[in-house]
Amino acid sequence: DVKVTQSSRYLVKRTGEKVFLECVQDMDHENMFWYRQDPGLGLRLIYFSYDVKMKEKGDIPEGYSVSREKKERFSLILESASTNQTSMYLCASSSRGFATNEKLFFGSGTQLSVL
Amino acid sequence: GNSVTQMEGPVTLSEEAFLTINCTYTATGYPSLFWYVQYPGEGLQLLLKATKADDKGSNKGFEATYRKETTSFHLEKGSVQVSDSAVYFCALRAYNTDKLIFGTGTRLQVFP
């Protein structure tokens, strides 16, 4: 069974902390994505990566960075967490060009609370 | 730019009622269109898709037709069940990109 696994389901951090959200996929996908999901705003793309060590900004990259050192792992980093980063974070992956089956595979999400 | 607009929820229905969730889009070129569903406590999963005009996507009794003339991709189901209660997201993938742009989501609540 194909999987996108996010390391934590719930996370509570304090303002100013450096936060790492980890995502691993086992489908050998080239593309990986980080979205945040907020009520009334839907899913907004933070960063995505087309390949190892490659990254591109999405629609709301401010306050975030990412790392993709290995093909299967894509990390989202909050350099100095703030309360407005309290959200549900969703990781997703897909094959390049959606060549095989034209869809994103999502993890179950990490609910981050910044106090 | 590219965008997706879908109706606000929640949509509240009785079991076996007819469902329509509206979705319209703005995009250059010829996008692919998707409906994703998120059940409580889970990530999103693909419900159906259409990759060109007049295509009809269908799955689990849900249908949506890609209407280029009205730039719409409305989701329909003839008879909803309690188990269909979830949040539904319309999305597009613009031509020549791997990024998906999502709408704001519509919560569906079905009561027995």
Side-chain angles (χ1 to χ4, degrees), chain B residues 20-64:
Chain B
T20 300
I21 300 178
N22 290 336
C23 172
T24 57
Y25 68 90
T26 301
T28 53
Y30 301 95
S32 295
L33 300 173
F34 306 83
W35 278 100
Y36 279 78
V37 59
Q38 185 180 35
Y39 298 104
E42 300 183 12
L44 279 70
Q45 55 187 277
L46 179 67
L47 181 60
L48 53 84
K49 66 184 182 188
T51 56
K52 61 184 188 297
D54 300 325
D55 269 3
K56 177 185 282 188
S58 61
N59 186 25
K60 299 181 180 180
F62 291 89
E63 292 183 341

Side-chain angles (χ1 to χ4, degrees), chain B residues 85-107:
Chain B
S85 298
V87 181
Y88 293 81
F89 291 90
C90 185
L92 71 82
R93 181 175 72 83
Y95 175 75
N96 210 28
T97 174
D98 283 357
K99 291 192 298 181
L100 254 67
I101 296 169
F102 287 86
T104 53
T106 302
R107 181 175 299 278

